[in-house]
Amino acid sequence: IFPEITIMFLNTLTPKFYVALTGTSSLISGLILIFEWWYFRKYGTSFIEQVSVSHLRPLLGGVDNSSPNNSNTSNGDADSNRQNVSECKVWRNPLNLFRGAEYNRYTWVTGREPLTYYDMNLSAQDHQTFFTCDSDHIRPADAIMQKAWRERNPQARISAAHEALELEDCATAYILLAEEEATTIVEAEKLFKQALKVGESCYRRSQQLQHHSSQYEAQHRRDTNVLVYIKRRLAMCSRKLGRTKEAVKMMRDLMKEFPLLSMFNIHENLLESLLELQNYADVQAVLAKYDDISLPKSATICYTAALLKARAVSDKFSPEAASRRGLSTAEMNAVEAIHRAVEFNPHVPKYLLEMKSLILPPEHILKRGDSEAIAYAFFHLQHWKRVEGALNLLHCTWEGTFRMIPYPLEKGHLFYPYPICTETADRELLPTVFHEVSVYPKKELPFFILFTAGLCSFTAMLALLTHQFPELMGVFAKAVSLTFCVLCFFNL
């Protein structure tokens, strides 16, 4: 009886009914797709999926485990705007190269400019901040150098430095010549040693007078910056010339003499030099001091910590064996350290694994950005290669980081949410003419958006076919409906 009634009902339907039915279905699914897409773009998740998890799962006896993560995330939301601003701050690259001896040599060989105008402009601002003060007009050489740091033309800056040295010995003039005119590290080191003699004399003199007036205090602050800069660059010269132990001693002495000048991040230079010496115990000691929750993180801190953890297990690590027996405690610690490092800066692994080609690092970096990843990998790739199996462990585990971060990917897990301004700033810092800027992994579309898009397309196609071939589609719809009803009847 049931099939006969169904057949009688279907025979009464006209082709216009099928056109209206398919058209309405296509319209409704299209509206659902638009709403789902808007909701996903705004909140980072599917509305249908969220409703299913939040409301239907408890009714069906499921347990919602997302509340702890949500509470942790909400605690950080209050400070997210403030933290994003600080994390998007551009920092001086602690390991920046020498313009004359390294950047310019690259330009001579390749014809490419490794530094962007934005990056060099930031360096000019740094030089004016660190190497000048309001009392520079008193000494003619300092007055000339104050103008030199504002010059855009490199030759004009070099000429001004020589002009200042003709009047008297000037530490900042030697610095400029060492940075921009010297064509080798050896020449730069000689100029920095001359700058050191003058800088130490000025520092001792201003140290005695700093409390006499605000003018002398500003002078002393400038002389301190100049002296620290010179000593640090001399240590870097020693490191580049192979005298690594000497460089480590100079860096340690500098950090003891000026412990409050953390803005220079000298500990990152020290970490790199200690890794070159394979002095892993001292590396761990430095990390214990600077890898603190109250101090700002960097790729050097996070990835060096991961390297030390990986070093303990990487030589015997096998993904096949780990999948059979599970991870040991030491392996779990290494994997967690890698996940932590990748969450802080997800661009580094592709450079360490040589999936992306390196370029010369810029003079400024953006923490958690592509610029920082390039600067880190440029100097630390050799240290990862030196530890047997470390890159293999990184290759097997780094992509698992994104399964640990609460959905969507921009929500933080161990760190604050990834700053949205990073890509824009990196495009200003890096030479995009010959380098493709690495961006944060894109969010994958939820299943329900893909399903709704397919449903919308399918119903739209049915509506079009029904409008063009109403008789044929009517017969087809009747046949499908009748078959479905008969199957349901027999199953019952």
Side-chain angles (χ1 to χ4, degrees):
I1 297 174
F2 180 73
E4 293 177 359
I5 295 175
T6 304
I7 293 171
M8 291 174 60
F9 173 74
L10 292 174
N11 286 335
T12 60
L13 300 178
T14 63
K16 291 182 179 179
F17 170 80
Y18 294 107
V19 173
L21 177 64
T22 53
T24 304
S25 302
S26 177
L27 176 63
I28 293 173
S29 59
L31 293 175
I32 294 173
L33 173 63
I34 293 171
F35 175 76
E36 275 280 286
W37 178 253
W38 169 82
Y39 194 88
F40 174 71
R41 294 287 293 178
K42 186 172 183 180
Y43 299 105
T45 188
S46 165
F47 175 76
I48 300 175
E49 182 180 355
Q50 188 178 31
V51 170
S52 302
V53 171
S54 303
H55 301 287
L56 297 183
R57 182 183 291 179
L59 293 176
L60 297 175
V63 179
D64 185 7
N65 295 322
S66 62
S67 56
N69 286 337
N70 291 338
S71 63
N72 291 337
T73 304
S74 63
N75 291 335
D77 285 343
D79 296 328
S80 61
N81 291 334
R82 174 181 58 80
Q83 187 69 16
N84 280 347
V85 170
S86 64
E87 287 192 353
C88 284
K89 173 186 174 183
V90 176
W91 298 72
R92 183 81 176 175
N93 181 4
L95 297 166
N96 66 304
L97 305 178
F98 293 83
R99 280 201 193 174
E102 291 172 307
Y103 287 121
N104 286 348
R105 289 171 70 88
Y106 176 83
T107 302
W108 299 335
V109 173
T110 64
R112 294 175 173 176
E113 289 291 343
L115 299 176
T116 64
Y117 173 77
Y118 176 69
D119 191 15
M120 292 188 288
N121 187 51
L122 289 175
S123 296
Q125 294 176 22
D126 291 342
H127 295 151
Q128 292 174 51
T129 301
F130 293 143
F131 302 151
T132 63
C133 66
D134 294 336
S135 61
D136 281 346
H137 63 276
I138 299 175
R139 296 178 61 196
D142 289 337
I144 292 174
M145 289 308 301
Q146 191 175 50
K147 295 179 182 179
W149 294 121
R150 296 193 181 102
E151 280 286 350
R152 293 185 178 181
N153 189 328
Q155 290 303 320
R157 289 196 296 271
I158 292 172
S159 299
H162 283 294
E163 182 182 348
L165 288 173
E166 290 175 1
L167 298 176
E168 58 183 322
D169 276 345
C170 178
T172 54
Y174 284 122
I175 289 175
L176 192 148
L177 295 178
E179 292 285 352
E180 301 193 23
E181 188 180 45
T183 56
T184 65
I185 301 298
V186 174
E187 292 178 19
E189 185 181 39
K190 290 179 181 177
L191 289 167
F192 273 122
K193 285 180 177 179
Q194 291 178 277
L196 180 62
K197 294 179 182 178
V198 182
E200 286 180 330
S201 175
C202 292
Y203 174 77
R204 285 192 295 268
R205 186 165 55 250
S206 63
Q207 189 177 30
Q208 296 171 354
L209 302 172
Q210 61 175 315
H211 300 298
H212 290 193
S213 67
S214 58
Q215 177 179 320
Y216 285 118
E217 185 179 353
Q219 252 183 356
H220 179 65
R221 192 181 310 115
R222 187 272 312 272
D223 291 339
T224 302
N225 291 335
V226 169
L227 184 61
V228 171
Y229 186 90
I230 293 170
K231 289 187 174 183
R232 179 201 190 144
R233 291 306 253 177
L234 277 172
M236 293 175 69
C237 287
S238 297
R239 167 69 184 91
K240 292 175 185 292
L241 294 172
R243 305 193 304 270
T244 310
K245 289 184 178 180
E246 178 185 335
V248 168
K249 183 180 184 305
M250 294 171 70
M251 292 173 193
R252 288 189 186 278
D253 292 342
L254 184 57
M255 292 169 67
K256 288 179 181 177
E257 187 178 0
F258 302 98
L260 300 179
L261 290 180
S262 58
M263 60 183 173
F264 288 102
N265 292 324
I266 303 171
H267 60 275
E268 297 198 9
N269 300 83
L270 179 60
L271 283 173
E272 196 280 327
S273 298
L274 290 172
L275 286 171
E276 176 64 21
L277 294 174
Q278 300 183 47
N279 194 339
Y280 298 110
D282 284 354
V283 171
Q284 185 61 59
V286 175
L287 285 178
K289 182 178 180 180
Y290 289 96
D291 192 4
D292 186 84
I293 191 170
S294 62
L295 298 176
K297 297 293 180 290
S298 67
T300 300
I301 293 291
C302 295
Y303 277 90
T304 302
L307 177 61
L308 293 189
K309 293 283 181 64
R311 177 175 170 268
V313 298
S314 59
D315 56 335
K316 299 177 182 178
F317 177 78
S318 169
E320 294 80 10
S323 62
R324 287 195 306 268
R325 59 172 169 79
L327 294 175
S328 65
T329 303
E331 289 172 339
M332 184 63 71
N333 290 337
V335 171
E336 288 176 355
I338 289 174
H339 286 172
R340 171 178 179 263
V342 175
E343 183 185 346
F344 182 82
N345 193 317
H347 311 289
V348 172
K350 287 190 176 181
Y351 293 108
L352 292 180
L353 298 172
E354 299 181 89
M355 300 165 63
K356 198 168 169 45
S357 59
L358 276 171
I359 61 172
L360 293 186
E363 291 183 336
H364 290 80
I365 59 173
L366 193 65
K367 289 192 175 183
R368 307 186 74 177
D370 190 32
S371 51
E372 184 191 35
I374 291 171
Y376 172 79
F378 187 86
F379 293 98
H380 288 262
L381 175 58
Q382 57 180 328
H383 307 315
W384 279 81
K385 286 184 174 181
R386 191 177 290 126
V387 176
E388 184 181 354
L391 289 175
N392 176 51
L393 180 60
L394 177 69
H395 174 73
C396 295
T397 57
W398 76 276
E399 290 181 328
T401 306
F402 305 109
R403 292 192 293 270
M404 307 291 293
I405 303 175
Y407 196 84
L409 294 179
E410 283 78 1
K411 289 187 177 180
H413 177 51
L414 299 174
F415 298 100
Y416 281 89
Y418 190 80
I420 58 175
C421 60
T422 304
E423 180 182 347
T424 304
D426 273 335
R427 293 190 183 281
E428 295 288 337
L429 288 171
L430 298 172
T432 54
V433 176
F434 56 88
H435 173 73
E436 183 180 353
V437 175
S438 176
V439 298
Y440 194 79
K442 300 298 182 182
K443 291 180 288 191
E444 296 179 359
L445 291 177
F447 166 76
F448 285 104
I449 288 186
L450 300 175
F451 175 76
T452 309
L455 180 63
C456 178
S457 303
F458 178 70
T459 53
M461 182 182 66
L462 286 181
L464 179 63
L465 292 174
T466 306
H467 183 266
Q468 294 293 328
F469 311 102
E471 298 292 341
L472 181 61
M473 291 301 294
V475 173
F476 175 74
K478 289 176 183 178
V480 172
S481 301
L482 181 60
T483 304
F484 178 75
C485 292
V486 170
L487 290 175
C488 290
F489 176 75
F490 282 113
N491 286 333
L492 293 174

